[in-house]
PDB file of all heavy atoms in Angstrom:
ATOM      1  N   ASN P1109      -0.914  -9.267 -10.963  1.00 95.00           N
ATOM      2  CA  ASN P1109      -1.363  -8.108 -10.183  1.00 95.00           C
ATOM      3  C   ASN P1109      -2.846  -7.805 -10.326  1.00 95.00           C
ATOM      4  O   ASN P1109      -3.501  -7.424  -9.353  1.00 95.00           O
ATOM      5  CB  ASN P1109      -0.525  -6.885 -10.581  1.00 95.00           C
ATOM      6  CG  ASN P1109       0.950  -7.113 -10.330  1.00 95.00           C
ATOM      7  OD1 ASN P1109       1.357  -7.454  -9.230  1.00 95.00           O
ATOM      8  ND2 ASN P1109       1.758  -6.964 -11.357  1.00 95.00           N
ATOM      9  N   ASN P1110      -3.393  -7.939 -11.518  1.00 96.00           N
ATOM     10  CA  ASN P1110      -4.820  -7.653 -11.704  1.00 96.00           C
ATOM     11  C   ASN P1110      -5.691  -8.640 -10.943  1.00 96.00           C
ATOM     12  O   ASN P1110      -6.722  -8.257 -10.376  1.00 96.00           O
ATOM     13  CB  ASN P1110      -5.171  -7.659 -13.198  1.00 96.00           C
ATOM     14  CG  ASN P1110      -4.596  -6.463 -13.926  1.00 96.00           C
ATOM     15  OD1 ASN P1110      -4.605  -5.342 -13.402  1.00 96.00           O
ATOM     16  ND2 ASN P1110      -4.086  -6.671 -15.124  1.00 96.00           N
ATOM     17  N   GLU P1111      -5.263  -9.906 -10.914  1.00 96.00           N
ATOM     18  CA  GLU P1111      -5.999 -10.909 -10.145  1.00 96.00           C
ATOM     19  C   GLU P1111      -5.912 -10.587  -8.656  1.00 96.00           C
ATOM     20  O   GLU P1111      -6.893 -10.722  -7.906  1.00 96.00           O
ATOM     21  CB  GLU P1111      -5.444 -12.310 -10.413  1.00 96.00           C
ATOM     22  CG  GLU P1111      -5.690 -12.854 -11.812  1.00 96.00           C
ATOM     23  CD  GLU P1111      -4.653 -12.379 -12.822  1.00 96.00           C
ATOM     24  OE1 GLU P1111      -3.840 -11.490 -12.470  1.00 96.00           O
ATOM     25  OE2 GLU P1111      -4.684 -12.869 -13.958  1.00 96.00           O
ATOM     26  N   ALA P1112      -4.729 -10.147  -8.227  1.00 95.00           N
ATOM     27  CA  ALA P1112      -4.538  -9.777  -6.822  1.00 95.00           C
ATOM     28  C   ALA P1112      -5.426  -8.593  -6.444  1.00 95.00           C
ATOM     29  O   ALA P1112      -6.006  -8.563  -5.349  1.00 95.00           O
ATOM     30  CB  ALA P1112      -3.070  -9.435  -6.568  1.00 95.00           C
ATOM     31  N   ILE P1113      -5.547  -7.637  -7.353  1.00 96.00           N
ATOM     32  CA  ILE P1113      -6.386  -6.467  -7.084  1.00 96.00           C
ATOM     33  C   ILE P1113      -7.831  -6.880  -6.837  1.00 96.00           C
ATOM     34  O   ILE P1113      -8.487  -6.396  -5.908  1.00 96.00           O
ATOM     35  CB  ILE P1113      -6.296  -5.461  -8.251  1.00 96.00           C
ATOM     36  CG1 ILE P1113      -4.925  -4.779  -8.260  1.00 96.00           C
ATOM     37  CG2 ILE P1113      -7.399  -4.397  -8.154  1.00 96.00           C
ATOM     38  CD1 ILE P1113      -4.667  -3.927  -9.484  1.00 96.00           C
ATOM     39  N   LYS P1114      -8.333  -7.784  -7.663  1.00 95.00           N
ATOM     40  CA  LYS P1114      -9.719  -8.239  -7.513  1.00 95.00           C
ATOM     41  C   LYS P1114      -9.935  -8.888  -6.146  1.00 95.00           C
ATOM     42  O   LYS P1114     -10.949  -8.635  -5.479  1.00 95.00           O
ATOM     43  CB  LYS P1114     -10.066  -9.221  -8.627  1.00 95.00           C
ATOM     44  CG  LYS P1114     -10.140  -8.585 -10.015  1.00 95.00           C
ATOM     45  CD  LYS P1114     -10.383  -9.626 -11.089  1.00 95.00           C
ATOM     46  CE  LYS P1114     -10.378  -8.992 -12.483  1.00 95.00           C
ATOM     47  NZ  LYS P1114     -10.541 -10.005 -13.551  1.00 95.00           N
ATOM     48  N   LEU P1115      -8.976  -9.711  -5.734  1.00 94.00           N
ATOM     49  CA  LEU P1115      -9.108 -10.371  -4.434  1.00 94.00           C
ATOM     50  C   LEU P1115      -9.014  -9.363  -3.291  1.00 94.00           C
ATOM     51  O   LEU P1115      -9.778  -9.431  -2.323  1.00 94.00           O
ATOM     52  CB  LEU P1115      -8.024 -11.430  -4.272  1.00 94.00           C
ATOM     53  CG  LEU P1115      -8.164 -12.694  -5.129  1.00 94.00           C
ATOM     54  CD1 LEU P1115      -7.040 -13.661  -4.808  1.00 94.00           C
ATOM     55  CD2 LEU P1115      -9.508 -13.362  -4.899  1.00 94.00           C
ATOM     56  N   LEU P1116      -8.096  -8.438  -3.402  1.00 95.00           N
ATOM     57  CA  LEU P1116      -7.914  -7.453  -2.331  1.00 95.00           C
ATOM     58  C   LEU P1116      -9.084  -6.481  -2.245  1.00 95.00           C
ATOM     59  O   LEU P1116      -9.430  -6.003  -1.161  1.00 95.00           O
ATOM     60  CB  LEU P1116      -6.598  -6.703  -2.531  1.00 95.00           C
ATOM     61  CG  LEU P1116      -5.357  -7.541  -2.207  1.00 95.00           C
ATOM     62  CD1 LEU P1116      -4.100  -6.931  -2.802  1.00 95.00           C
ATOM     63  CD2 LEU P1116      -5.205  -7.709  -0.696  1.00 95.00           C
ATOM     64  N   GLU P1117      -9.703  -6.179  -3.371  1.00 96.00           N
ATOM     65  CA  GLU P1117     -10.902  -5.346  -3.344  1.00 96.00           C
ATOM     66  C   GLU P1117     -12.014  -6.063  -2.583  1.00 96.00           C
ATOM     67  O   GLU P1117     -12.786  -5.428  -1.849  1.00 96.00           O
ATOM     68  CB  GLU P1117     -11.341  -4.997  -4.766  1.00 96.00           C
ATOM     69  CG  GLU P1117     -10.442  -3.957  -5.436  1.00 96.00           C
ATOM     70  CD  GLU P1117     -10.804  -3.703  -6.879  1.00 96.00           C
ATOM     71  OE1 GLU P1117     -11.479  -4.574  -7.495  1.00 96.00           O
ATOM     72  OE2 GLU P1117     -10.420  -2.657  -7.418  1.00 96.00           O
ATOM     73  N   LEU P1118     -12.091  -7.375  -2.765  1.00 94.00           N
ATOM     74  CA  LEU P1118     -13.055  -8.164  -1.991  1.00 94.00           C
ATOM     75  C   LEU P1118     -12.676  -8.166  -0.510  1.00 94.00           C
ATOM     76  O   LEU P1118     -13.533  -7.988   0.366  1.00 94.00           O
ATOM     77  CB  LEU P1118     -13.105  -9.600  -2.521  1.00 94.00           C
ATOM     78  CG  LEU P1118     -13.925 -10.601  -1.702  1.00 94.00           C
ATOM     79  CD1 LEU P1118     -15.386 -10.159  -1.616  1.00 94.00           C
ATOM     80  CD2 LEU P1118     -13.822 -11.997  -2.311  1.00 94.00           C
ATOM     81  N   ALA P1119     -11.382  -8.320  -0.246  1.00 94.00           N
ATOM     82  CA  ALA P1119     -10.907  -8.385   1.142  1.00 94.00           C
ATOM     83  C   ALA P1119     -11.216  -7.103   1.907  1.00 94.00           C
ATOM     84  O   ALA P1119     -11.649  -7.154   3.061  1.00 94.00           O
ATOM     85  CB  ALA P1119      -9.409  -8.669   1.162  1.00 94.00           C
ATOM     86  N   VAL P1120     -11.000  -5.938   1.270  1.00 95.00           N
ATOM     87  CA  VAL P1120     -11.257  -4.675   1.989  1.00 95.00           C
ATOM     88  C   VAL P1120     -12.755  -4.420   2.143  1.00 95.00           C
ATOM     89  O   VAL P1120     -13.169  -3.687   3.042  1.00 95.00           O
ATOM     90  CB  VAL P1120     -10.572  -3.476   1.298  1.00 95.00           C
ATOM     91  CG1 VAL P1120      -9.063  -3.616   1.344  1.00 95.00           C
ATOM     92  CG2 VAL P1120     -11.067  -3.280  -0.124  1.00 95.00           C
ATOM     93  N   GLN P1121     -13.560  -5.027   1.298  1.00 94.00           N
ATOM     94  CA  GLN P1121     -15.009  -4.934   1.503  1.00 94.00           C
ATOM     95  C   GLN P1121     -15.412  -5.735   2.743  1.00 94.00           C
ATOM     96  O   GLN P1121     -16.274  -5.299   3.521  1.00 94.00           O
ATOM     97  CB  GLN P1121     -15.750  -5.452   0.270  1.00 94.00           C
ATOM     98  CG  GLN P1121     -15.708  -4.509  -0.921  1.00 94.00           C
ATOM     99  CD  GLN P1121     -16.480  -5.047  -2.113  1.00 94.00           C
ATOM    100  OE1 GLN P1121     -17.360  -5.896  -1.958  1.00 94.00           O
ATOM    101  NE2 GLN P1121     -16.154  -4.575  -3.290  1.00 94.00           N
ATOM    102  N   LEU P1122     -14.790  -6.888   2.913  1.00 91.00           N
ATOM    103  CA  LEU P1122     -15.092  -7.722   4.071  1.00 91.00           C
ATOM    104  C   LEU P1122     -14.525  -7.127   5.355  1.00 91.00           C
ATOM    105  O   LEU P1122     -15.114  -7.268   6.428  1.00 91.00           O
ATOM    106  CB  LEU P1122     -14.508  -9.128   3.866  1.00 91.00           C
ATOM    107  CG  LEU P1122     -15.096  -9.964   2.725  1.00 91.00           C
ATOM    108  CD1 LEU P1122     -14.322 -11.274   2.591  1.00 91.00           C
ATOM    109  CD2 LEU P1122     -16.572 -10.244   2.952  1.00 91.00           C
ATOM    110  N   ASN P1123     -13.389  -6.444   5.231  1.00 92.00           N
ATOM    111  CA  ASN P1123     -12.688  -5.942   6.411  1.00 92.00           C
ATOM    112  C   ASN P1123     -12.059  -4.576   6.107  1.00 92.00           C
ATOM    113  O   ASN P1123     -10.835  -4.460   5.967  1.00 92.00           O
ATOM    114  CB  ASN P1123     -11.609  -6.955   6.828  1.00 92.00           C
ATOM    115  CG  ASN P1123     -10.982  -6.625   8.157  1.00 92.00           C
ATOM    116  OD1 ASN P1123     -11.408  -5.714   8.859  1.00 92.00           O
ATOM    117  ND2 ASN P1123      -9.943  -7.366   8.517  1.00 92.00           N
ATOM    118  N   PRO P1124     -12.854  -3.529   6.002  1.00 94.00           N
ATOM    119  CA  PRO P1124     -12.347  -2.210   5.596  1.00 94.00           C
ATOM    120  C   PRO P1124     -11.464  -1.527   6.631  1.00 94.00           C
ATOM    121  O   PRO P1124     -10.835  -0.510   6.317  1.00 94.00           O
ATOM    122  CB  PRO P1124     -13.625  -1.404   5.362  1.00 94.00           C
ATOM    123  CG  PRO P1124     -14.649  -2.059   6.219  1.00 94.00           C
ATOM    124  CD  PRO P1124     -14.318  -3.520   6.213  1.00 94.00           C
ATOM    125  N   LYS P1125     -11.375  -2.067   7.835  1.00 94.00           N
ATOM    126  CA  LYS P1125     -10.580  -1.432   8.884  1.00 94.00           C
ATOM    127  C   LYS P1125      -9.192  -2.052   9.036  1.00 94.00           C
ATOM    128  O   LYS P1125      -8.475  -1.725   9.969  1.00 94.00           O
ATOM    129  CB  LYS P1125     -11.331  -1.499  10.214  1.00 94.00           C
ATOM    130  CG  LYS P1125     -12.610  -0.669  10.228  1.00 94.00           C
ATOM    131  CD  LYS P1125     -13.275  -0.697  11.593  1.00 94.00           C
ATOM    132  CE  LYS P1125     -14.553   0.152  11.606  1.00 94.00           C
ATOM    133  NZ  LYS P1125     -15.204   0.131  12.932  1.00 94.00           N
ATOM    134  N   GLU P1126      -8.817  -2.931   8.117  1.00 94.00           N
ATOM    135  CA  GLU P1126      -7.501  -3.568   8.174  1.00 94.00           C
ATOM    136  C   GLU P1126      -6.541  -2.821   7.242  1.00 94.00           C
ATOM    137  O   GLU P1126      -6.608  -2.965   6.017  1.00 94.00           O
ATOM    138  CB  GLU P1126      -7.605  -5.038   7.787  1.00 94.00           C
ATOM    139  CG  GLU P1126      -6.277  -5.788   7.746  1.00 94.00           C
ATOM    140  CD  GLU P1126      -5.493  -5.633   9.030  1.00 94.00           C
ATOM    141  OE1 GLU P1126      -5.967  -6.081  10.089  1.00 94.00           O
ATOM    142  OE2 GLU P1126      -4.399  -5.038   8.955  1.00 94.00           O
ATOM    143  N   LYS P1127      -5.646  -2.013   7.813  1.00 96.00           N
ATOM    144  CA  LYS P1127      -4.760  -1.166   7.004  1.00 96.00           C
ATOM    145  C   LYS P1127      -3.812  -1.984   6.130  1.00 96.00           C
ATOM    146  O   LYS P1127      -3.447  -1.551   5.035  1.00 96.00           O
ATOM    147  CB  LYS P1127      -3.960  -0.221   7.887  1.00 96.00           C
ATOM    148  CG  LYS P1127      -2.922  -0.873   8.755  1.00 96.00           C
ATOM    149  CD  LYS P1127      -2.067   0.129   9.485  1.00 96.00           C
ATOM    150  CE  LYS P1127      -1.105  -0.567  10.427  1.00 96.00           C
ATOM    151  NZ  LYS P1127      -0.178  -1.483   9.725  1.00 96.00           N
ATOM    152  N   GLU P1128      -3.385  -3.168   6.595  1.00 96.00           N
ATOM    153  CA  GLU P1128      -2.467  -3.978   5.813  1.00 96.00           C
ATOM    154  C   GLU P1128      -3.081  -4.416   4.489  1.00 96.00           C
ATOM    155  O   GLU P1128      -2.378  -4.547   3.483  1.00 96.00           O
ATOM    156  CB  GLU P1128      -2.006  -5.197   6.617  1.00 96.00           C
ATOM    157  CG  GLU P1128      -1.136  -4.863   7.814  1.00 96.00           C
ATOM    158  CD  GLU P1128       0.151  -4.135   7.432  1.00 96.00           C
ATOM    159  OE1 GLU P1128       0.688  -4.420   6.341  1.00 96.00           O
ATOM    160  OE2 GLU P1128       0.613  -3.292   8.214  1.00 96.00           O
ATOM    161  N   LEU P1129      -4.389  -4.623   4.496  1.00 96.00           N
ATOM    162  CA  LEU P1129      -5.068  -4.984   3.250  1.00 96.00           C
ATOM    163  C   LEU P1129      -5.052  -3.807   2.276  1.00 96.00           C
ATOM    164  O   LEU P1129      -4.838  -3.985   1.068  1.00 96.00           O
ATOM    165  CB  LEU P1129      -6.507  -5.410   3.529  1.00 96.00           C
ATOM    166  CG  LEU P1129      -6.674  -6.729   4.295  1.00 96.00           C
ATOM    167  CD1 LEU P1129      -8.150  -6.966   4.621  1.00 96.00           C
ATOM    168  CD2 LEU P1129      -6.118  -7.898   3.487  1.00 96.00           C
ATOM    169  N   TRP P1130      -5.248  -2.593   2.787  1.00 97.00           N
ATOM    170  CA  TRP P1130      -5.201  -1.400   1.931  1.00 97.00           C
ATOM    171  C   TRP P1130      -3.795  -1.200   1.381  1.00 97.00           C
ATOM    172  O   TRP P1130      -3.619  -0.824   0.219  1.00 97.00           O
ATOM    173  CB  TRP P1130      -5.658  -0.173   2.713  1.00 97.00           C
ATOM    174  CG  TRP P1130      -7.132  -0.136   2.974  1.00 97.00           C
ATOM    175  CD1 TRP P1130      -7.767  -0.327   4.165  1.00 97.00           C
ATOM    176  CD2 TRP P1130      -8.182   0.115   2.015  1.00 97.00           C
ATOM    177  NE1 TRP P1130      -9.129  -0.220   4.018  1.00 97.00           N
ATOM    178  CE2 TRP P1130      -9.410   0.051   2.711  1.00 97.00           C
ATOM    179  CE3 TRP P1130      -8.189   0.379   0.641  1.00 97.00           C
ATOM    180  CZ2 TRP P1130     -10.632   0.250   2.071  1.00 97.00           C
ATOM    181  CZ3 TRP P1130      -9.399   0.574   0.003  1.00 97.00           C
ATOM    182  CH2 TRP P1130     -10.613   0.498   0.722  1.00 97.00           C
ATOM    183  N   LYS P1131      -2.790  -1.466   2.205  1.00 97.00           N
ATOM    184  CA  LYS P1131      -1.405  -1.327   1.756  1.00 97.00           C
ATOM    185  C   LYS P1131      -1.079  -2.361   0.673  1.00 97.00           C
ATOM    186  O   LYS P1131      -0.419  -2.046  -0.319  1.00 97.00           O
ATOM    187  CB  LYS P1131      -0.452  -1.492   2.942  1.00 97.00           C
ATOM    188  CG  LYS P1131      -0.450  -0.301   3.894  1.00 97.00           C
ATOM    189  CD  LYS P1131       0.305  -0.599   5.185  1.00 97.00           C
ATOM    190  CE  LYS P1131       1.762  -0.897   4.950  1.00 97.00           C
ATOM    191  NZ  LYS P1131       2.478  -1.152   6.230  1.00 97.00           N
ATOM    192  N   SER P1132      -1.562  -3.580   0.862  1.00 96.00           N
ATOM    193  CA  SER P1132      -1.333  -4.620  -0.144  1.00 96.00           C
ATOM    194  C   SER P1132      -2.053  -4.279  -1.444  1.00 96.00           C
ATOM    195  O   SER P1132      -1.518  -4.488  -2.538  1.00 96.00           O
ATOM    196  CB  SER P1132      -1.814  -5.980   0.379  1.00 96.00           C
ATOM    197  OG  SER P1132      -1.053  -6.395   1.491  1.00 96.00           O
ATOM    198  N   LEU P1133      -3.268  -3.756  -1.319  1.00 97.00           N
ATOM    199  CA  LEU P1133      -4.021  -3.344  -2.502  1.00 97.00           C
ATOM    200  C   LEU P1133      -3.255  -2.251  -3.251  1.00 97.00           C
ATOM    201  O   LEU P1133      -3.139  -2.289  -4.485  1.00 97.00           O
ATOM    202  CB  LEU P1133      -5.408  -2.848  -2.104  1.00 97.00           C
ATOM    203  CG  LEU P1133      -6.288  -2.275  -3.236  1.00 97.00           C
ATOM    204  CD1 LEU P1133      -6.481  -3.293  -4.350  1.00 97.00           C
ATOM    205  CD2 LEU P1133      -7.643  -1.831  -2.670  1.00 97.00           C
ATOM    206  N   ALA P1134      -2.716  -1.297  -2.511  1.00 97.00           N
ATOM    207  CA  ALA P1134      -1.935  -0.220  -3.135  1.00 97.00           C
ATOM    208  C   ALA P1134      -0.728  -0.777  -3.879  1.00 97.00           C
ATOM    209  O   ALA P1134      -0.404  -0.340  -4.984  1.00 97.00           O
ATOM    210  CB  ALA P1134      -1.494   0.782  -2.074  1.00 97.00           C
ATOM    211  N   GLU P1135      -0.060  -1.761  -3.277  1.00 97.00           N
ATOM    212  CA  GLU P1135       1.121  -2.341  -3.912  1.00 97.00           C
ATOM    213  C   GLU P1135       0.750  -3.034  -5.219  1.00 97.00           C
ATOM    214  O   GLU P1135       1.456  -2.894  -6.227  1.00 97.00           O
ATOM    215  CB  GLU P1135       1.790  -3.337  -2.961  1.00 97.00           C
ATOM    216  CG  GLU P1135       3.149  -3.813  -3.425  1.00 97.00           C
ATOM    217  CD  GLU P1135       4.145  -2.681  -3.577  1.00 97.00           C
ATOM    218  OE1 GLU P1135       4.108  -1.727  -2.769  1.00 97.00           O
ATOM    219  OE2 GLU P1135       4.968  -2.746  -4.516  1.00 97.00           O
ATOM    220  N   ALA P1136      -0.338  -3.772  -5.206  1.00 97.00           N
ATOM    221  CA  ALA P1136      -0.795  -4.431  -6.432  1.00 97.00           C
ATOM    222  C   ALA P1136      -1.168  -3.386  -7.489  1.00 97.00           C
ATOM    223  O   ALA P1136      -0.873  -3.559  -8.679  1.00 97.00           O
ATOM    224  CB  ALA P1136      -1.985  -5.336  -6.133  1.00 97.00           C
ATOM    225  N   GLN P1137      -1.794  -2.313  -7.066  1.00 98.00           N
ATOM    226  CA  GLN P1137      -2.193  -1.259  -7.998  1.00 98.00           C
ATOM    227  C   GLN P1137      -0.981  -0.552  -8.603  1.00 98.00           C
ATOM    228  O   GLN P1137      -0.976  -0.223  -9.788  1.00 98.00           O
ATOM    229  CB  GLN P1137      -3.104  -0.256  -7.284  1.00 98.00           C
ATOM    230  CG  GLN P1137      -4.489  -0.832  -6.974  1.00 98.00           C
ATOM    231  CD  GLN P1137      -5.278   0.006  -5.992  1.00 98.00           C
ATOM    232  OE1 GLN P1137      -4.713   0.690  -5.139  1.00 98.00           O
ATOM    233  NE2 GLN P1137      -6.604  -0.049  -6.089  1.00 98.00           N
ATOM    234  N   VAL P1138       0.047  -0.332  -7.793  1.00 97.00           N
ATOM    235  CA  VAL P1138       1.273   0.274  -8.322  1.00 97.00           C
ATOM    236  C   VAL P1138       1.874  -0.616  -9.397  1.00 97.00           C
ATOM    237  O   VAL P1138       2.251  -0.157 -10.477  1.00 97.00           O
ATOM    238  CB  VAL P1138       2.309   0.508  -7.194  1.00 97.00           C
ATOM    239  CG1 VAL P1138       3.672   0.846  -7.777  1.00 97.00           C
ATOM    240  CG2 VAL P1138       1.858   1.632  -6.284  1.00 97.00           C
ATOM    241  N   ARG P1139       1.946  -1.903  -9.110  1.00 97.00           N
ATOM    242  CA  ARG P1139       2.568  -2.840 -10.052  1.00 97.00           C
ATOM    243  C   ARG P1139       1.729  -3.020 -11.309  1.00 97.00           C
ATOM    244  O   ARG P1139       2.257  -3.415 -12.349  1.00 97.00           O
ATOM    245  CB  ARG P1139       2.801  -4.179  -9.363  1.00 97.00           C
ATOM    246  CG  ARG P1139       3.761  -4.073  -8.188  1.00 97.00           C
ATOM    247  CD  ARG P1139       4.169  -5.421  -7.669  1.00 97.00           C
ATOM    248  NE  ARG P1139       5.004  -5.308  -6.484  1.00 97.00           N
ATOM    249  CZ  ARG P1139       5.850  -6.248  -6.073  1.00 97.00           C
ATOM    250  NH1 ARG P1139       5.975  -7.374  -6.769  1.00 97.00           N
ATOM    251  NH2 ARG P1139       6.562  -6.080  -4.991  1.00 97.00           N
ATOM    252  N   ALA P1140       0.438  -2.728 -11.208  1.00 97.00           N
ATOM    253  CA  ALA P1140      -0.440  -2.786 -12.380  1.00 97.00           C
ATOM    254  C   ALA P1140      -0.539  -1.420 -13.059  1.00 97.00           C
ATOM    255  O   ALA P1140      -1.391  -1.221 -13.924  1.00 97.00           O
ATOM    256  CB  ALA P1140      -1.828  -3.265 -11.968  1.00 97.00           C
ATOM    257  N   ASN P1141       0.342  -0.494 -12.658  1.00 97.00           N
ATOM    258  CA  ASN P1141       0.391   0.859 -13.219  1.00 97.00           C
ATOM    259  C   ASN P1141      -0.905   1.629 -12.993  1.00 97.00           C
ATOM    260  O   ASN P1141      -1.344   2.405 -13.846  1.00 97.00           O
ATOM    261  CB  ASN P1141       0.740   0.820 -14.714  1.00 97.00           C
ATOM    262  CG  ASN P1141       1.305   2.143 -15.206  1.00 97.00           C
ATOM    263  OD1 ASN P1141       1.933   2.883 -14.452  1.00 97.00           O
ATOM    264  ND2 ASN P1141       1.065   2.456 -16.459  1.00 97.00           N
ATOM    265  N   LYS P1142      -1.501   1.402 -11.826  1.00 98.00           N
ATOM    266  CA  LYS P1142      -2.697   2.149 -11.430  1.00 98.00           C
ATOM    267  C   LYS P1142      -2.326   3.006 -10.212  1.00 98.00           C
ATOM    268  O   LYS P1142      -2.817   2.826  -9.107  1.00 98.00           O
ATOM    269  CB  LYS P1142      -3.837   1.173 -11.102  1.00 98.00           C
ATOM    270  CG  LYS P1142      -4.273   0.329 -12.307  1.00 98.00           C
ATOM    271  CD  LYS P1142      -5.363  -0.660 -11.934  1.00 98.00           C
ATOM    272  CE  LYS P1142      -5.795  -1.470 -13.160  1.00 98.00           C
ATOM    273  NZ  LYS P1142      -6.862  -2.453 -12.831  1.00 98.00           N
ATOM    274  N   LYS P1143      -1.422   3.955 -10.474  1.00 98.00           N
ATOM    275  CA  LYS P1143      -0.779   4.689  -9.383  1.00 98.00           C
ATOM    276  C   LYS P1143      -1.729   5.620  -8.638  1.00 98.00           C
ATOM    277  O   LYS P1143      -1.626   5.771  -7.420  1.00 98.00           O
ATOM    278  CB  LYS P1143       0.428   5.454  -9.915  1.00 98.00           C
ATOM    279  CG  LYS P1143       1.552   4.548 -10.422  1.00 98.00           C
ATOM    280  CD  LYS P1143       2.767   5.340 -10.833  1.00 98.00           C
ATOM    281  CE  LYS P1143       3.926   4.416 -11.211  1.00 98.00           C
ATOM    282  NZ  LYS P1143       3.685   3.664 -12.444  1.00 98.00           N
ATOM    283  N   TYR P1144      -2.649   6.254  -9.344  1.00 98.00           N
ATOM    284  CA  TYR P1144      -3.588   7.152  -8.664  1.00 98.00           C
ATOM    285  C   TYR P1144      -4.533   6.366  -7.760  1.00 98.00           C
ATOM    286  O   TYR P1144      -4.890   6.816  -6.669  1.00 98.00           O
ATOM    287  CB  TYR P1144      -4.367   7.985  -9.679  1.00 98.00           C
ATOM    288  CG  TYR P1144      -3.518   9.047 -10.344  1.00 98.00           C
ATOM    289  CD1 TYR P1144      -3.055   8.874 -11.646  1.00 98.00           C
ATOM    290  CD2 TYR P1144      -3.155  10.206  -9.661  1.00 98.00           C
ATOM    291  CE1 TYR P1144      -2.257   9.836 -12.254  1.00 98.00           C
ATOM    292  CE2 TYR P1144      -2.361  11.178 -10.265  1.00 98.00           C
ATOM    293  CZ  TYR P1144      -1.914  10.985 -11.554  1.00 98.00           C
ATOM    294  OH  TYR P1144      -1.115  11.943 -12.155  1.00 98.00           O
ATOM    295  N   GLN P1145      -4.930   5.179  -8.210  1.00 98.00           N
ATOM    296  CA  GLN P1145      -5.751   4.314  -7.357  1.00 98.00           C
ATOM    297  C   GLN P1145      -4.951   3.868  -6.136  1.00 98.00           C
ATOM    298  O   GLN P1145      -5.494   3.750  -5.027  1.00 98.00           O
ATOM    299  CB  GLN P1145      -6.226   3.105  -8.159  1.00 98.00           C
ATOM    300  CG  GLN P1145      -7.215   3.459  -9.269  1.00 98.00           C
ATOM    301  CD  GLN P1145      -7.680   2.230 -10.028  1.00 98.00           C
ATOM    302  OE1 GLN P1145      -7.703   1.129  -9.506  1.00 98.00           O
ATOM    303  NE2 GLN P1145      -8.070   2.439 -11.287  1.00 98.00           N
ATOM    304  N   ALA P1146      -3.655   3.627  -6.339  1.00 98.00           N
ATOM    305  CA  ALA P1146      -2.794   3.221  -5.225  1.00 98.00           C
ATOM    306  C   ALA P1146      -2.704   4.333  -4.179  1.00 98.00           C
ATOM    307  O   ALA P1146      -2.738   4.064  -2.971  1.00 98.00           O
ATOM    308  CB  ALA P1146      -1.399   2.875  -5.741  1.00 98.00           C
ATOM    309  N   LEU P1147      -2.605   5.580  -4.632  1.00 98.00           N
ATOM    310  CA  LEU P1147      -2.574   6.704  -3.698  1.00 98.00           C
ATOM    311  C   LEU P1147      -3.863   6.762  -2.880  1.00 98.00           C
ATOM    312  O   LEU P1147      -3.832   7.033  -1.676  1.00 98.00           O
ATOM    313  CB  LEU P1147      -2.378   8.016  -4.468  1.00 98.00           C
ATOM    314  CG  LEU P1147      -0.991   8.235  -5.071  1.00 98.00           C
ATOM    315  CD1 LEU P1147      -1.008   9.448  -6.001  1.00 98.00           C
ATOM    316  CD2 LEU P1147       0.056   8.427  -3.978  1.00 98.00           C
ATOM    317  N   SER P1148      -4.985   6.498  -3.537  1.00 98.00           N
ATOM    318  CA  SER P1148      -6.267   6.492  -2.843  1.00 98.00           C
ATOM    319  C   SER P1148      -6.302   5.391  -1.781  1.00 98.00           C
ATOM    320  O   SER P1148      -6.791   5.609  -0.658  1.00 98.00           O
ATOM    321  CB  SER P1148      -7.409   6.298  -3.846  1.00 98.00           C
ATOM    322  OG  SER P1148      -8.652   6.245  -3.193  1.00 98.00           O
ATOM    323  N   SER P1149      -5.778   4.222  -2.112  1.00 98.00           N
ATOM    324  CA  SER P1149      -5.745   3.111  -1.154  1.00 98.00           C
ATOM    325  C   SER P1149      -4.858   3.449   0.041  1.00 98.00           C
ATOM    326  O   SER P1149      -5.195   3.144   1.198  1.00 98.00           O
ATOM    327  CB  SER P1149      -5.238   1.837  -1.838  1.00 98.00           C
ATOM    328  OG  SER P1149      -6.137   1.422  -2.846  1.00 98.00           O
ATOM    329  N   LEU P1150      -3.714   4.089  -0.232  1.00 98.00           N
ATOM    330  CA  LEU P1150      -2.815   4.466   0.861  1.00 98.00           C
ATOM    331  C   LEU P1150      -3.443   5.538   1.742  1.00 98.00           C
ATOM    332  O   LEU P1150      -3.204   5.559   2.962  1.00 98.00           O
ATOM    333  CB  LEU P1150      -1.476   4.949   0.299  1.00 98.00           C
ATOM    334  CG  LEU P1150      -0.599   3.856  -0.320  1.00 98.00           C
ATOM    335  CD1 LEU P1150       0.647   4.464  -0.947  1.00 98.00           C
ATOM    336  CD2 LEU P1150      -0.201   2.810   0.724  1.00 98.00           C
TER     337      LEU P1150
END
């Protein structure tokens, strides 16, 4: 999950208007127990 978060953070920088990327980032953050960050992504 932490590796996924790093990639998804890069992905949303490249394409901040893609909601699916934000949703995927939130899912990775939830699984990494970063729930408040996940709420921000959602």
